Amino acid sequence: LSKMGISQQPEDNQQDVPGERHALLEDENKVWHLVRPVDEIDEGKSKRGSVKEKERTKAITEIYLTRLLSVKGTLQQFVDNFFHSVLNSNHVVPPAVKYFFDFLDEQAEKHDIKDEDTIHIWKTNSLPLRFWVNILKNPHFIFDIHVHEVVDASLSVIAQTFMDACTRTEHKLSRDSPSNKLLYAKEISNYKKMVEDYYKGIRQMVPVSDQDMNTHLAEISRAHTDSLNTLVALHQLYQYTNKYYDEV
């Protein structure tokens, strides 16, 4: 950005200070990003809420939202692929998931819980939120990568969308809603249906018996015999037991 064509004489008898309408450029030799870091905004001006400050913030926000939509369009297919790969009961569903979901259904029946929302929340907390959101927000847990803060912010938006898709309550959006909520407003209904269909699909699968589950766990254990350091695991258990010895 560079200053051009700024008249030193106010036109139409307006008492504008030269350069007043170029708030983005008022600081010499200042490099601007699409969003001003919060710590750069003078607290005094922020509290007074000057017109100049509001206009500057609005201008940057408008540029940011346009860029946001553009990036969202670029990443949309990847986000859709993630949802389809995670929420597709037609794919191979791990026996542990079927076994545990059936256990939750049995517990609901045992305790006479008729509210479908409660069972939905149980399943959501056990798998999508506990497992998938954790990995989605922390890819370095399973990949040897450094997550840049910009990537981390983007993943947080996608993770929040995933969390919203797992809730059964309807979120009423307005122009004042957070931009990350508005960003996937059109897709959220489809994502919610995918979650519902996923849970229904698992419920209709052939039950996994205790014997099948034990056999599956034994196979998993044998497959990863050389992958895990049992001494480290035992040492961590010892540290925990030593710390809470009396309680245990």
Side-chain angles (χ1 to χ4, degrees):
L1 299 174
S2 59
K3 293 183 179 181
M4 294 183 63
I6 299 178
S7 173
Q8 297 298 321
Q9 299 297 326
E11 298 178 1
D12 301 328
N13 296 323
Q14 293 180 354
Q15 299 302 313
D16 290 346
V17 177
E20 181 72 19
R21 285 169 292 179
H22 299 265
L24 285 171
L25 307 174
E26 70 174 0
D27 296 328
E28 294 289 350
N29 301 320
K30 181 70 175 178
V31 179
W32 293 97
H33 189 49
L34 293 180
V35 180
R36 296 186 69 199
V38 177
D39 56 358
E40 286 189 11
I41 299 177
D42 182 85
E43 290 186 2
K45 288 184 179 179
S46 180
K47 290 178 181 178
R48 289 197 301 271
S50 65
V51 176
K52 186 195 306 182
E53 186 66 38
K54 289 180 179 178
E55 288 179 352
R56 182 184 318 188
T57 304
K58 181 180 178 182
I60 296 174
T61 301
E62 288 172 349
I63 297 172
Y64 166 68
L65 288 174
T66 304
R67 179 63 178 163
L68 191 65
L69 291 171
S70 175
V71 173
K72 185 236 180 182
T74 303
L75 299 177
Q76 187 60 51
Q77 189 59 53
F78 296 98
V79 176
D80 287 341
N81 289 345
F82 169 76
F83 274 82
H84 282 294
S85 63
V86 170
L87 302 172
N88 191 341
S89 59
N90 293 325
H91 291 172
V92 178
V93 175
V97 174
K98 169 62 178 172
Y99 185 85
F100 187 66
F101 276 21
D102 283 353
F103 168 77
L104 294 178
D105 289 333
E106 290 170 5
Q107 290 300 307
E109 185 176 351
K110 179 181 178 180
H111 296 282
D112 197 29
I113 296 175
K114 307 293 185 183
D115 185 16
E116 284 293 327
D117 285 353
T118 300
I119 305 172
H120 183 95
I121 291 171
W122 285 356
K123 295 176 180 179
T124 295
N125 285 337
S126 64
L127 180 63
L129 301 190
R130 174 73 66 176
F131 184 76
W132 288 117
V133 169
N134 201 22
I135 290 177
L136 189 59
K137 295 184 71 172
N138 304 283
H140 57 281
F141 283 1
I142 54 176
F143 298 112
D144 186 16
I145 57 174
H146 169 70
V147 181
H148 191 276
E149 59 181 7
V150 175
V151 175
D152 181 63
S154 299
L155 290 175
S156 294
V157 172
I158 298 172
Q160 182 61 54
T161 302
F162 188 71
M163 292 165 64
D164 291 343
C166 292
T167 62
R168 304 187 79 178
T169 55
E170 293 296 329
H171 300 279
K172 293 184 179 180
L173 300 176
S174 65
R175 60 184 300 176
D176 298 322
S177 299
S179 57
N180 65 315
K181 298 279 189 181
L182 297 172
L183 200 58
Y184 286 95
K186 292 182 179 179
E187 291 83 7
I188 198 69
S189 59
N190 292 331
Y191 294 155
K192 282 178 177 288
K193 187 177 185 306
M194 289 173 65
V195 175
E196 293 280 356
D197 291 344
Y198 180 66
Y199 290 169
K200 288 179 182 177
I202 293 178
R203 181 175 288 178
Q204 294 168 359
M205 289 172 57
V206 178
V208 177
S209 65
D210 291 347
Q211 183 178 353
D212 291 339
M213 189 64 208
N214 288 332
T215 301
H216 174 70
L217 291 176
E219 291 175 355
I220 294 293
S221 180
R222 281 195 299 271
H224 298 281
T225 300
D226 299 328
S227 304
L228 305 174
N229 191 325
T230 53
L231 290 178
V232 172
L234 284 171
H235 180 63
Q236 291 182 338
L237 283 173
Y238 168 76
Q239 288 180 313
Y240 181 86
T241 307
N242 189 47
K243 182 178 180 180
Y244 300 102
Y245 183 84
D246 294 334
E247 291 84 346
V248 172

